[in-house]
Amino acid sequence: QVHLVEAGGGLVQPGGSLKLSCTASGNIGIITEMGWYRQAPEKQRELVAKIDGSGGATLEDAAKKGRFTMSRDNDKNTVYLQIGTLTPEDTAVYYCSAVNQIGTRARRYWGQGTQVTVSS
């Protein structure tokens, strides 16, 4: 099993910023992908950004590139999501996901999620 723990969520005012973190632990082979997803009330879970094994970062929406930045610390098996200029639209539960490969077996894992609420 691989355990993912997110942190950094909370209540922030519009225009504010925050930085989320996700750390993987457990029976880690090779993490081939780590990503951030979010799910707002009564909406589907959507991909925000991900980083593959080569270190390349991809955002789901190019329009978010100016506000969202994903980074990785390989030594700590940790990824981050920096969000700036937050709006109420960003309110959601943010989930971390990782694909762990051991030999030829690959499996996706999910964290519990961290709540981000943007409100004045």
Side-chain angles (χ1 to χ4, degrees), residues 89-112:
E89 186 182 27
D90 296 317
T91 295
V93 177
Y94 285 71
Y95 296 92
C96 178
S97 181
V99 176
N100 184 53
Q101 183 165 337
I102 301 177
T104 60
R105 183 80 163 93
R107 181 176 296 176
R108 180 177 294 277
Y109 295 88
W110 294 90
Q112 185 67 36

Side-chain angles (χ1 to χ4, degrees), residues 27-76:
N27 187 23
I28 298 176
I30 300 175
I31 301 294
T32 59
E33 178 189 307
M34 294 191 73
W36 286 99
Y37 296 72
R38 69 181 183 184
Q39 187 168 19
E42 300 184 348
K43 292 185 178 180
Q44 291 190 99
R45 186 173 300 184
E46 64 172 334
L47 174 67
V48 177
K50 65 179 181 179
I51 292 180
D52 61 26
S54 68
T58 302
L59 296 182
E60 173 69 14
D61 189 344
K64 298 179 180 177
K65 290 182 177 180
R67 298 197 299 118
F68 290 78
T69 302
M70 186 174 178
S71 60
R72 179 184 67 187
D73 185 335
N74 289 333
D75 293 337
K76 300 179 180 179

